[in-house]
Amino acid sequence: MKKIYIIVLIPILLVGAFLIVNSNQEKDSDFKAIFEKWDKGAIEATESADIMESLVNYLIENPTISSEDIEDFSPLIKVYEKDGFRIIEYIENPESYGSSARGSYHIAMCDGGVELIDSNGSTRINNMVKLSDVQYYIYVTDYRFSNITGINIYSIVIDEHSIRQKQAIAKTKMPGFVYNDVNNVLYYDDEHIYYKEISKNGNEVVLEVGKVNFLLILEEDSLYHIHKNN
C-alpha cells in the first residue's frame, strides 16, 4: 500500500509545484506590464500606492526572489544589497513626471520581512553602510527642488518582528544649514549639498557645499553631527 500512495502523491506534488511556478511567472509578467505603464506615465495618480502594496505582498510571499528578477520588472528599479539586506528603489520616469515632481519609492527587505519605507517621496540612494547584523545606514539625496538639493541619512534596524526606520542627522545649528523637520532633509542656503566621501564603517561623511567641505561625525547618540572640515 505504501508504494501505491507514493506513486499517487508524486504526480500531485509535481502538479502543485507546476501551478506555483506558473502562478509566479504570470505574476512576474503582470508586474512587468504594470511598471511599463507606470514608466510611461500611463497610470492614475491613485494607482501608485496600490501597485507598491501589491509588490510588497508579492515579496513577502516570495522572499527568495533574486535582485535581478526584481530589477527585471522595470529599468527604473534598482536593488541595493548588502549581506542579505536589500532596499528596492523605484523612481518615476523624469520624462513622464518631471525631474523634481517624480516620486520615489523604497522597500526594505530582509529575512522575510518587507517594509515600504518611502512612498511618493523625492529621494535617491547614494550609498548604504552596514554597521552591524541588524543595523544599516542609508545615505540619500533629496531632489525636491531642482535649484537646491538636500541630503538625508537614516538608519534601518531589523529585529524579529519589524524593519524600523529612524532619522540619523542631528538638528545641530550650524550657520547656513537648515534642517526641514517635515521632510527630514538637510539643506544649505542657496547651494547644492553633495556626498564627497563616506567612510567604510560609516563613522564619517564628508559633504561638499560649493567649494567648502563639512564633516558629519557619527557620535555616541547614534546621530550625525556637523563640523567644519578644516
Side-chain angles (χ1 to χ4, degrees):
M1 292 296 291
K2 290 183 179 179
K3 291 183 178 179
I4 293 174
Y5 287 133
I6 292 172
I7 292 171
V8 172
L9 283 173
I10 288 175
I12 293 174
L13 292 172
L14 289 175
V15 170
F18 172 79
L19 291 174
I20 292 172
V21 170
N22 192 50
S23 175
N24 285 343
Q25 289 176 341
E26 289 180 359
K27 197 65 177 178
D28 289 354
S29 298
D30 290 344
F31 276 121
K32 287 181 182 179
I34 289 169
F35 276 105
E36 184 177 2
K37 287 180 60 179
W38 195 349
D39 294 346
K40 295 177 180 178
I43 68 166
E44 299 294 331
T46 55
E47 290 184 81
S48 59
D50 292 335
I51 294 171
M52 279 297 157
E53 183 179 353
S54 296
L55 180 58
V56 166
N57 292 332
Y58 177 74
L59 294 173
I60 292 172
E61 295 169 0
N62 298 272
T64 61
I65 185 173
S66 69
S67 297
E68 291 76 13
D69 285 343
I70 296 172
E71 290 181 335
D72 196 40
F73 292 153
S74 166
L76 299 177
I77 290 179
K78 186 172 182 179
V79 180
Y80 296 83
E81 185 171 5
K82 192 177 290 290
D83 298 333
F85 173 72
R86 292 186 279 184
I87 288 193
I88 299 148
E89 177 180 78
Y90 177 74
I91 300 179
E92 291 176 329
N93 191 345
E95 294 181 1
S96 302
Y97 297 92
S99 295
S100 298
R102 54 185 171 152
S104 66
Y105 299 80
H106 293 90
I107 299 172
M109 185 176 182
C110 185
D111 294 332
V114 183
E115 190 77 30
L116 181 66
I117 59 174
D118 170 37
S119 180
N120 197 25
S122 57
T123 61
R124 62 176 182 271
I125 294 176
N126 293 86
N127 203 349
M128 179 168 67
V129 170
K130 178 181 179 181
L131 268 71
S132 69
D133 289 337
V134 296
Q135 188 173 22
Y136 296 79
Y137 274 76
I138 315 301
Y139 307 84
V140 304
T141 295
D142 186 279
Y143 55 80
R144 190 181 313 273
F145 305 111
S146 58
N147 63 325
I148 174 173
T149 54
I151 65 157
N152 186 15
I153 304 173
Y154 56 88
S155 69
I156 296 288
V157 178
I158 303 161
D159 60 32
E160 295 180 356
H161 307 290
S162 65
I163 297 174
R164 293 180 285 113
Q165 178 185 3
K166 184 179 179 181
Q167 301 305 317
I169 298 180
K171 301 174 185 179
T172 307
K173 292 184 178 179
M174 173 76 80
F177 285 96
V178 177
Y179 189 91
N180 186 305
D181 290 297
V182 176
N183 302 313
N184 293 307
V185 179
L186 182 68
Y187 294 104
Y188 191 87
D189 290 342
D190 301 323
E191 289 280 1
H192 292 290
I193 302 178
Y194 300 102
Y195 292 104
K196 186 174 183 179
E197 185 179 350
I198 300 172
S199 63
K200 290 184 179 180
N201 60 7
N203 286 338
E204 294 185 356
V205 176
V206 179
L207 300 177
E208 185 176 19
V209 183
K211 296 181 180 180
V212 181
N213 292 339
F214 293 87
L215 189 63
L216 288 177
I217 298 178
L218 187 61
E219 299 185 3
E220 293 181 357
D221 58 0
S222 298
L223 297 175
Y224 284 95
H225 293 260
I226 304 173
H227 301 267
K228 188 74 175 287
N229 191 18
N230 296 322

